[in-house]
Amino acid sequence: MASSPCGNMNFDSGLEIKTRSVEQTLIPLVSQITTLINHKDKPKKSERTLAAIHRVGQAVSVAVGRFVAVGEAIAAENQELKDEMGQACFEARRAGDAIAQLTDVGSALPSQSDGRSTVFSDRTGMVKAARLLLSSVTKVLVLADRIVIKQIITSRNKVLVTLDHLERVSTFQEFVQIFSQFGNEMVEFAHLTGDRQNDLKDEKKKARMAAARAVLEKCTMMLLTASKTCLRHPDCESARINKDAVFHRMRCALEQVIEIVTEARSCGENKMLPASIYNGIKDFKSSVECLRENLYSLSPQGMGSQLEALVERLEDFTDSAYTSHEQRQAILTLCQLVRQDTQQLLHHWIEAQSAKAKEATEDMEVAILKTCQSVSDLRRELHKVAVIRASDLLKVHGEQLPLRSLKAAGAEGNLEAVAEYSRTLTEQKEQLVETCRLLCHVSGTEPLEITCIHAEETFHVIGPQIMSAAQTLALHPSSKIAKENLEVFCEAWESQLCDMALLLREINDVFEGKRGDKRSYLSLPRPGKHSANLKTAKAVKLDAEEQTSMAKLGLELRLLSSDVDTEVEKWEEQEHDIVRQSQSLASMAYNMYLFTRGEGLLKTTLDLFHQAEVLSEEGLQLCSSLRTFSIQLVDEEKSAVMTETEKLVALCQQLQMGAKTPVQGKTATFQKVDSSIQTARGVLAVVLSLLPFCNKLNKKYKSEKSSLGSSHDWRERQDASTPVKEDGALNGKNSNGFGVKSLEQHMAGLNLLEGK
């Protein structure tokens, strides 16, 4: 029970905990009850032990009482849950009272003379009460979670109704009015689904939710310009096709979100992921290694069939027109080696079975090692081919030549040139789609497979939309709205290329074993730190159009934060001040990126400005560390570091002043958001240029110190010149705010029940 408080307990066969907030709310309760049940059953109990048990029991009872009061309030506001919630609250209160009674052991030793049951005399009763309490509390939480789902469904329904109205409008005035309402509804939906995405325990559902929300985010701006183009040119067939495709994609994404939150089985969950080569290799290796434990766990024929199914999937690589001859030969050679090693293993395995061997023979052990090694070499080659293909494509497409040519041809009204460049874009689209499929094969995790499939679908859909938008512009070359529409679709294509670059890095991280919760995302600043601003500033949420315009800037910030993380990992001294402070800056920049997507813990512009201010403070701390570091350097090296440090100081001060400057009105607030993110991007760009240079210098001087053994003078100089830090709390690994996990644990119960 103590080992996995929420995972292993079967309180109620109909209840399954699917969100982290519910799980985190239960953990403290489970911990307290575990303490009561697992107390040491000694003949003599000290007064201290009795008092402790009594306190824990009373604490559980009081907490349950407050918890039930909130549950009953929720029931009163939601008639459809009133009976179920009322029953669950009644059972929870009854169980809480029973635990209070059983732990009311007083300060004297328990005796049976008064006939009263206690935790010592009625252990079975205590276990029964604990089970009832956990079951009923879990039920209350799960029922409360239904309200969150209901809010998302209600929000989606409002969006759908407005979407239908938008599709049918016939005048600009009517469109502007309804789109304004639509934008507000989409912002509400984005925040609700963003919170839900962060709360989901299932990583596959999380990835599917992220994919659906990304579609909605990008389609919102497309819908605006595609609809305006259609209104401006009502008889243009290509404009109508363009608009219809956007509306269809938005409806599909909205439906996918609802499938995830309601766990509908219509198509989403039943739609199996395509069989990836990575999973095939993993399963095959597992089967091979299992032979060490059991020679009779499967048949040699079964393993042979497993290998052939794996080889068949390799055709996505070997049959591709874009795979080079050298790459194809390398894959086929390794494939043949795997076959040979497997055949050798099967031969020794059959011999061992014929001899009635109870365990793997020495020949079998050697064959197992060789087979596992050759299949690992095959996986490494496939990963290399997919990554090289993706990297090369991203370099080529980074120049955006077909897009620029399409824009120019459309603006000139040259339909023939538009058709020619559309064919070029179609070829690029097919290359990208196929590359996403290869990346899916080597991604290494199911969430990344889902992201690869989303990228594949996005390129497949946006390519034709760009072409229809270019055709519309060519038919109406003087139309400003048609030009703007094409620009928006091209930006969506570029944005997806940026997403693909990030996806490629994540796949590489998984392959190299770097994946994990290494990033300690810093969120809201410490309470009280910025109380002056809280009194004068007004929190604002960006609408859908503003968030869309922020998206590209946010992606650049994310790429920079990822680059900083990569450079930081190259340092041998992970505890170096420069390393820790750079990691902190990258984490905060990532939070600001999440804000541009309507995700993460920065919910309003006020949160963003606070984060920007904290980022500037951490940047100035880094400047202090860089000055200290530069003391050991010679003239040219010192000058180079100090030049960049001064740039960093100026940017941090600019960011700090901008964050503290009060603004009034929506336009001014939006400009302040834009300025804050741009300046943060500048800060990270300077940090990124400094990190490799400082790392090189640090290794150089460390090597010199080691060889000369004259570190004493250097240490004295460093100690003498180290400035006094103003705020000790800003230093150390956990500076500038709470980590996501601790904040979620602290707020889980409040967010779920009291924030109904």
Side-chain angles (χ1 to χ4, degrees):
M1 184 166 165
S3 63
S4 182
C6 297
N8 294 337
M9 292 200 68
N10 238 344
F11 324 117
D12 186 321
S13 59
L15 296 179
E16 182 188 351
I17 299 170
K18 299 182 177 68
T19 58
R20 289 186 297 164
S21 54
V22 171
E23 185 175 73
Q24 292 296 329
T25 305
L26 283 172
I27 285 174
L29 179 62
V30 174
S31 177
Q32 288 178 320
I33 291 175
T34 303
T35 301
L36 292 175
I37 292 176
N38 292 346
H39 69 85
K40 293 180 180 178
D41 200 10
K42 295 178 180 178
K44 289 187 177 181
K45 313 290 190 300
S46 68
E47 288 190 10
R48 186 175 177 183
T49 300
L50 295 172
I53 290 173
H54 178 70
R55 279 198 307 272
V56 172
Q58 294 304 307
V60 169
S61 180
V62 171
V64 169
R66 291 174 181 163
F67 181 85
V68 166
V70 176
E72 288 171 341
I74 291 174
E77 294 177 8
N78 296 271
Q79 290 299 313
E80 71 275 17
L81 297 178
K82 188 173 183 180
D83 292 341
E84 281 186 276
M85 184 72 88
Q87 181 62 29
C89 288
F90 171 76
E91 290 175 357
R93 195 187 294 278
R94 188 167 59 124
D97 291 344
I99 288 174
Q101 185 178 349
L102 286 165
T103 55
D104 186 16
V105 292
S107 58
L109 292 178
S111 67
Q112 301 299 320
S113 58
D114 58 1
R116 183 167 58 86
S117 296
T118 69
V119 65
F120 304 111
S121 63
D122 189 7
R123 192 181 186 87
T124 302
M126 185 67 196
V127 171
K128 188 176 179 181
R131 287 188 178 280
L132 177 62
L133 178 60
L134 290 173
S135 175
S136 54
V137 167
T138 303
K139 191 164 187 177
V140 170
L141 289 167
V142 171
L143 288 171
D145 191 54
R146 279 195 212 164
I147 296 166
V148 177
I149 295 172
K150 178 184 170 185
Q151 287 176 333
I152 294 173
I153 293 171
T154 302
S155 178
R156 186 282 307 254
N157 291 341
K158 288 195 309 189
V159 169
L160 274 180
V161 169
T162 311
L163 199 63
D164 289 341
H165 290 164
L166 271 177
E167 197 169 19
R168 293 195 301 266
V169 296
S170 55
T171 66
F172 270 106
Q173 185 177 1
E174 186 184 6
F175 174 79
V176 169
Q177 182 181 355
I178 297 176
F179 189 83
S180 176
Q181 177 188 342
F182 174 76
N184 292 331
E185 290 170 354
M186 280 299 296
V187 168
E188 178 193 3
F189 188 71
H191 282 296
L192 287 172
T193 53
D195 291 342
R196 188 67 179 181
Q197 178 185 320
N198 291 333
D199 199 24
L200 287 169
K201 287 173 62 183
D202 188 309
E203 292 298 327
K204 287 190 289 182
K205 288 189 176 75
K206 230 175 188 177
R208 289 183 62 226
M209 179 77 90
R213 295 181 72 249
V215 170
L216 293 171
E217 177 189 326
K218 289 172 182 173
C219 280
T220 300
M221 184 55 99
M222 295 182 201
L223 184 142
L224 172 63
T225 56
S227 297
K228 284 164 65 178
T229 304
C230 224
L231 287 169
R232 178 68 181 83
H233 309 288
D235 298 326
C236 182
E237 181 66 12
S238 58
R240 186 192 60 76
I241 291 171
N242 191 256
K243 172 190 160 186
D244 288 349
V246 176
F247 274 88
H248 174 72
R249 198 158 184 240
M250 284 202 80
R251 288 191 176 97
C252 288
L254 287 166
E255 190 59 34
Q256 182 173 329
V257 169
I258 299 306
E259 284 177 12
I260 296 164
V261 299
T262 61
E263 301 197 309
R265 307 284 174 179
S266 58
C267 61
E269 205 65 23
N270 284 340
K271 184 181 176 183
M272 297 293 291
L273 290 174
S276 73
I277 292 173
Y278 169 80
N279 286 327
I281 287 175
K282 186 173 73 172
D283 292 343
F284 180 72
K285 278 185 71 176
S286 177
S287 298
V288 170
E289 289 171 340
C290 278
L291 293 177
R292 292 191 175 107
E293 306 297 327
N294 187 350
L295 293 181
Y296 307 94
S297 57
L298 73 163
S299 68
Q301 294 80 9
M303 183 175 287
S305 300
Q306 198 175 1
L307 176 61
E308 290 311 310
L310 172 60
V311 170
E312 191 176 331
R313 293 178 210 167
L314 297 179
E315 290 175 359
D316 280 347
F317 283 83
T318 56
D319 291 0
S320 169
Y322 307 110
T323 300
S324 70
H325 175 71
E326 291 78 11
Q327 290 172 336
R328 186 177 291 106
Q329 283 303 116
I331 293 169
L332 292 173
T333 300
L334 285 168
C335 185
Q336 186 59 31
L337 182 60
V338 172
R339 272 200 171 109
Q340 289 173 2
D341 290 339
T342 304
Q343 284 300 322
Q344 192 70 15
L345 172 60
L346 294 177
H347 172 71
H348 293 306
W349 182 14
I350 292 168
E351 281 186 345
Q353 284 186 332
S354 300
K356 307 294 183 185
K358 293 183 179 180
E359 58 184 23
T361 62
E362 189 175 331
D363 287 340
M364 268 192 73
E365 183 61 40
V366 172
I368 287 171
L369 289 172
K370 287 180 68 178
T371 303
C372 288
Q373 182 60 51
S374 57
V375 83
S376 294
D377 291 343
L378 176 61
R379 182 202 165 196
R380 190 175 296 107
E381 181 64 27
L382 294 171
H383 175 85
K384 186 173 78 172
V385 169
V387 167
I388 289 174
R389 167 89 67 82
S391 300
D392 290 347
L393 272 180
L394 287 170
K395 286 175 187 174
V396 171
H397 297 336
E399 299 172 5
Q400 308 298 339
L401 293 177
L403 297 186
R404 289 208 295 267
S405 301
L406 272 172
K407 290 176 194 175
E412 293 167 2
N414 190 337
L415 281 168
E416 287 185 7
V418 165
E420 180 185 342
Y421 293 125
S422 291
R423 285 191 290 273
T424 305
L425 185 63
T426 298
E427 185 179 346
Q428 285 195 352
K429 178 205 75 175
E430 289 171 356
Q431 288 180 358
L432 287 164
V433 164
E434 186 177 286
T435 302
C436 290
R437 202 170 296 139
L438 299 189
L439 288 175
C440 184
H441 275 305
V442 301
S443 57
T445 69
E446 287 187 321
L448 286 179
E449 284 181 31
I450 291 167
T451 308
C452 289
I453 292 168
H454 164 68
E456 179 185 336
E457 291 172 349
T458 301
F459 285 123
H460 187 74
V461 171
I462 293 182
Q465 288 179 312
I466 291 173
M467 296 169 209
S468 60
Q471 189 178 0
T472 302
L473 178 59
L475 291 168
H476 308 279
S478 60
S479 172
K480 289 182 180 178
I481 183 56
K483 184 178 180 181
E484 181 190 359
N485 186 48
L486 176 57
E487 191 68 44
V488 165
F489 280 94
C490 289
E491 285 177 2
W493 179 274
E494 293 166 13
S495 173
Q496 189 55 51
L497 287 173
C498 289
D499 286 348
M500 186 174 174
L502 292 166
L503 173 61
L504 186 59
R505 286 182 183 174
E506 289 191 51
I507 290 171
N508 262 327
D509 284 350
V510 170
F511 184 78
E512 294 168 10
K514 296 179 184 176
R515 191 169 177 82
D517 295 329
K518 63 180 179 182
R519 184 193 289 277
S520 54
Y521 298 132
L522 303 179
S523 52
L524 298 176
R526 294 183 303 283
K529 178 72 178 171
H530 305 279
S531 55
N533 280 356
L534 285 171
K535 294 177 183 175
T536 57
K538 183 181 178 182
V540 176
K541 288 184 179 180
L542 300 184
D543 62 28
E545 188 173 347
E546 289 167 338
Q547 278 190 347
T548 302
S549 65
M550 284 284 108
K552 188 175 180 182
L553 195 57
L555 278 171
E556 293 173 3
L557 199 59
R558 180 178 175 181
L559 284 167
L560 280 168
S561 69
S562 181
D563 286 338
V564 168
D565 279 339
T566 301
E567 286 301 328
V568 157
E569 286 173 0
K570 296 176 183 177
W571 282 62
E572 293 175 358
E573 298 178 57
Q574 286 295 302
E575 293 303 309
H576 199 291
D577 282 348
I578 292 174
V579 169
R580 290 191 290 100
Q581 288 156 353
S582 298
Q583 283 176 323
S584 183
L585 289 171
S587 295
M588 286 185 274
Y590 186 85
N591 275 344
M592 296 173 79
Y593 154 73
L594 288 178
F595 173 84
T596 66
R597 293 177 60 91
E599 299 174 8
L601 293 172
L602 306 180
K603 300 297 184 186
T604 67
T605 52
L606 187 59
D607 297 337
L608 179 77
F609 301 147
H610 286 168
Q611 185 74 95
E613 195 172 339
V614 177
L615 189 149
S616 67
E617 291 170 355
E618 187 73 359
L620 292 171
Q621 290 289 330
L622 175 59
C623 293
S624 176
S625 298
L626 287 165
R627 289 193 184 99
T628 302
F629 175 77
S630 67
I631 291 170
Q632 63 182 307
L633 307 179
V634 297
D635 292 344
E636 288 184 7
E637 295 168 344
K638 185 173 183 177
S639 175
V641 171
M642 290 310 299
T643 299
E644 292 301 300
T645 300
E646 292 309 313
K647 289 182 189 176
L648 188 58
V649 169
L651 285 166
C652 289
Q653 289 174 344
Q654 179 185 336
L655 184 61
Q656 196 169 57
M657 290 299 296
K660 289 180 176 178
T661 303
V663 292
Q664 297 291 332
K666 190 173 182 181
T667 302
T669 301
F670 177 70
Q671 289 172 347
K672 182 176 174 181
V673 169
D674 183 78
S675 174
S676 297
I677 294 175
Q678 292 217 42
T679 309
R681 182 184 62 179
V683 168
L684 251 67
V686 175
V687 171
L688 185 60
S689 68
L690 277 164
L691 278 170
F693 185 54
C694 290
N695 188 21
K696 180 181 175 183
L697 293 175
N698 190 49
K699 286 179 180 177
K700 172 185 171 184
Y701 281 90
K702 190 177 177 183
S703 174
E704 287 179 1
K705 279 201 304 172
S706 175
S707 60
L708 296 174
S710 58
S711 61
H712 179 71
D713 293 340
W714 178 81
R715 281 203 190 94
E716 277 191 349
R717 278 187 294 157
Q718 189 182 42
D719 293 340
S721 58
T722 301
V724 178
K725 312 244 178 174
E726 294 178 4
D727 185 356
L730 283 172
N731 303 312
K733 294 179 184 177
N734 297 319
S735 64
N736 299 335
F738 302 105
V740 167
K741 289 185 177 178
S742 61
L743 186 64
E744 284 177 343
Q745 288 173 4
H746 185 65
M747 298 298 292
L750 291 175
N751 286 345
L752 189 67
L753 291 175
E754 295 178 3
K756 57 189 181 293

